[in-house]
Amino acid sequence: MSEQILHAVFLVAITAEAMTAALAAGRRSMDWFGVAMLGSITALGGGSIRDVLLGHYPLTWVAHPEYLVITSGAALATIAIARIVHRLRHAFLLLDAIGLVVFTVIGCNIAMAMDQPLLIVIVAGMITGCLGGVLRDVLCNDVPLLFRSELYASVSVVTGAIYVGGTRYGLPPEAVMLTAMTIGLTLRLLAL
Amino acid sequence: MSEQILHAVFLVAITAEAMTAALAAGRRSMDWFGVAMLGSITALGGGSIRDVLLGHYPLTWVAHPEYLVITSGAALATIAIARIVHRLRHAFLLLDAIGLVVFTVIGCNIAMAMDQPLLIVIVAGMITGCLGGVLRDVLCNDVPLLFRSELYASVSVVTGAIYVGGTRYGLPPEAVMLTAMTIGLTLRLLAL
Amino acid sequence: MSEQILHAVFLVAITAEAMTAALAAGRRSMDWFGVAMLGSITALGGGSIRDVLLGHYPLTWVAHPEYLVITSGAALATIAIARIVHRLRHAFLLLDAIGLVVFTVIGCNIAMAMDQPLLIVIVAGMITGCLGGVLRDVLCNDVPLLFRSELYASVSVVTGAIYVGGTRYGLPPEAVMLTAMTIGLTLRLLAL
């Protein structure tokens, strides 16, 4: 049950992060494959860095190449929509916030399954949650949102701490997961 | 036979990519070791990222440290030449295009040897072809050429698709390889 | 004995590098966790890249999560001090120079323990010494100090060469280590 929910929110999160990449890329004269590549790097980059640092092979998208299709498709669809709809700055920040909290929980989950110590579990969540967006911003030559904004990395840490704490105390995983993500998302949106 | 050709074009490509790094670095007051380091990162960085992501150890330049000598030497020689010859913008773009298509084919080749699924083979080619130049541009604080330019990542995908497709259909590898690289190079040069 | 000295200087170097991160971040409105994260990436990033490239698992900070506490703490303490003390540009360059030479020696040491060839040992030192600072500067959207400054990568190479050369000739490790670091630090400070 928890596995299925986690998989569903993972799909939502990679779609959301790929969309932020397309919005960030919006005004550049990038070709379609460039947009698809940036979308995939943003959506799957944080998790890839986590897996490489922890030596956790094969990487998610190597085992499941279909995730590359989803993230590329989401980025390209967003480019098409962005030509019609304007005022997307709020959408960008909301989608980025969703990715932040969901990826944090997923990153903690993978490190817990590897029996990493508590601090590494929290850090794995932070890497997964924050670094995809950092890659996006560095590749677009912006100062990363993480370093422009209060309550960004800290939201990831709070989300991870609630999730890990609740799980260790034996509370029902689905409830803990949704609570952690809701509190994290609320904090992040209040900070905008 | 195919192995030997591939090795020869690999040497051409790492030399070309190292030269682009030196041209990009040209006007900065970098010391010689900095130029050598940037040349090696540009020439060998895309392949290193591919190998790390696929868990393909040891990395090419760890197994063959002489490649570091070649790329460092090429970068330093280019710095010396660049002080004499001017108008090197076209040389930069031509060398970068050669690196793009050759590295794409090499990246596909390595992923095929690992029996990766088709999509991962194409992506491995794209990573190898595109990311060395992205590292160069990020380290020089430029927006990556990949994200400034139409027909860049797409040239890598087309090159990879022709190579992989032709190889799967049992056509002679040398002919497929040279055809893929020629079409890719032509497309990229037409886009400049 | 040599092990203990090396460990002590390692702690000094990660503290120094984390402090440079906080100084670089100083004027941005980053939250505390962002500062802690940037401090840890700067202090432990060069070594992490070295370990990933050489396939040397587990990474230092995964095996010793307490290093994350040290680097985060050093970064946060520096932020607090920086609000009181001004004119910290010289402190920044001095701390960065200490990190450069100490990490170079440590990087060489790890590659020697893996029986890597001589050139890879020097390169491992250079990666460990230089790339943490490069990550810091790229994440802050600055041109890396490495690429703005003469005598930077070369200081790392000279330091590494003295250390590796002296060790191979069977000189006492502590003396070789301190000599290499002193010469490297002197060269770097003379270049400022």
Side-chain angles (χ1 to χ4, degrees), chain B residues 98-115:
Chain B
I98 293 171
L100 176 67
V101 298
V102 175
F103 281 143
T104 297
V105 166
I106 289 168
C108 290
N109 221 40
I110 284 178
M112 281 196 287
M114 293 177 75
D115 282 325

Side-chain angles (χ1 to χ4, degrees), chain C residues 54-118:
Chain C
L54 297 179
H56 180 255
Y57 287 95
L59 271 57
T60 317
W61 55 270
V62 177
H64 299 279
E66 66 270 22
Y67 294 160
L68 295 171
V69 178
I70 295 172
T71 52
S72 300
L76 291 173
T78 306
I79 283 285
I81 294 168
R83 288 205 181 127
I84 304 165
V85 189
H86 297 284
R87 281 184 288 177
L88 288 166
R89 204 183 107 77
H90 291 295
F92 173 83
L93 290 170
L94 174 62
L95 292 165
D96 186 79
I98 293 171
L100 176 66
V101 298
V102 174
F103 281 143
T104 297
V105 166
I106 288 168
C108 290
N109 221 40
I110 284 178
M112 282 196 286
M114 291 177 77
D115 283 324
Q116 295 288 352
L118 185 63

Side-chain angles (χ1 to χ4, degrees), chain A residues 104-117:
Chain A
T104 297
V105 166
I106 288 168
C108 290
N109 220 41
I110 284 177
M112 281 196 287
M114 291 176 77
D115 282 324
Q116 294 289 351

Side-chain angles (χ1 to χ4, degrees), chain C residues 130-149:
Chain C
C130 297
L131 290 194
V134 168
L135 286 176
R136 174 196 64 217
D137 297 338
V138 166
L139 291 175
C140 290
N141 207 23
D142 292 328
V143 174
L145 194 51
L146 168 64
F147 298 129
R148 270 178 291 160
S149 178

Side-chain angles (χ1 to χ4, degrees), chain B residues 10-23 25 30-45 61 64-81 103, chain C residues 119-120 122-123 126-127 147 153-154 157:
Chain B
F10 174 73
L11 294 180
V12 170
I14 60 174
T15 305
E17 283 284 351
M19 292 173 75
T20 67
L23 293 175
M30 222 178 284
D31 71 9
W32 284 24
F33 286 100
V35 170
M37 199 170 177
L38 188 65
S40 296
I41 291 175
T42 305
L44 301 167
W61 54 270
H64 298 280
E66 67 270 21
Y67 295 160
L68 295 171
V69 178
I70 295 172
T71 51
S72 301
L76 291 173
T78 306
I79 283 285
I81 294 169
F103 281 143
Chain C
L119 185 55
I120 298 298
I122 301 281
V123 168
M126 202 157 103
I127 289 171
F147 298 129
S154 54
V157 171

